[in-house]
Amino acid sequence: MDGGVFDGKGATYTASSRLGDGGQAEGQSPIFILKNGATLKNVNIGENGADGIHVYNGATVENVNWLDVGEDALTVKSEGDVNILGGSAKGASDKIFQVNADAHIYIRDFDADGFTTLVRTNGGKQLDVDVVIDGGSFSNGANLFRTDSTLANVTFQSDINLSNVKNWTRVGDQQSGV
Ligand code: DGU
Ligand code: CA
Ligand code: CA
Ligand code: CA
């Protein structure tokens, strides 16, 4: 989608094997591509999740539920503002939100169960990334935010429910435990 709003009305979209197998191999394709402030809402991403959603120049995802995250759930591919409003993710072997460009990311009332890292800026890269995590419930994970960038930061606000989550943040190898 290039701009505009798509309301899936609760439909489930599942990758065909042509996009990838939803395992941890890199180079899989996304199910949705959102560009230039597009809004995707009320959609379930089924199993196979492949490489989920790719975002270019900002987007909003509202009430998007990843039933079994593939290689990752959503990747920020170019600079922009990304809003994640409600929704949920289960079954991430590694990362949920992968940030490969400078970005402002706002995550409100998201529920994640089973992940290594909720938000990861690209490993070893200096990226100017601001993340706000506003409410939500997170369980069975290692890090809510992990970065190797000195230009990246996260703000936690409102009531965040944690259950069996190890760290609020991991910056380089520095872990800030719950
Ligand atoms: O460093 O860039 O995991 O977008 C290697 C790669 C890797 C990305 C990322 C992603 O960080 O492929 O899925
Ligand atoms: Ca990856
Ligand atoms: Ca999975
Ligand atoms: Ca990926």
Side-chain angles (χ1 to χ4, degrees), residues 1-7 34-41 58-60:
M1 300 172 62
D2 190 351
V5 179
F6 178 74
D7 184 345
L34 308 180
K35 297 182 179 173
N36 300 318
T39 296
L40 176 70
K41 61 184 183 183
T60 295

Side-chain angles (χ1 to χ4, degrees), residues 26 51 71-72 75 95 98 100 122-123:
E26 295 290 349
D51 213 47
E71 200 280 314
D72 48 34
T75 306
K95 298 168 272 191
Q98 169 78 33
N100 294 349
N122 208 349

Side-chain angles (χ1 to χ4, degrees), residues 101-130:
D102 296 352
H104 297 281
I105 300 172
Y106 175 66
I107 301 170
R108 188 181 75 210
D109 296 335
F110 193 76
D111 290 347
D113 183 14
F115 56 93
T116 301
T117 302
L118 177 70
V119 181
R120 174 68 159 122
T121 71
N122 208 349
K125 298 275 164 48
Q126 276 296 83
L127 291 171
D128 190 351
V129 175
D130 296 295

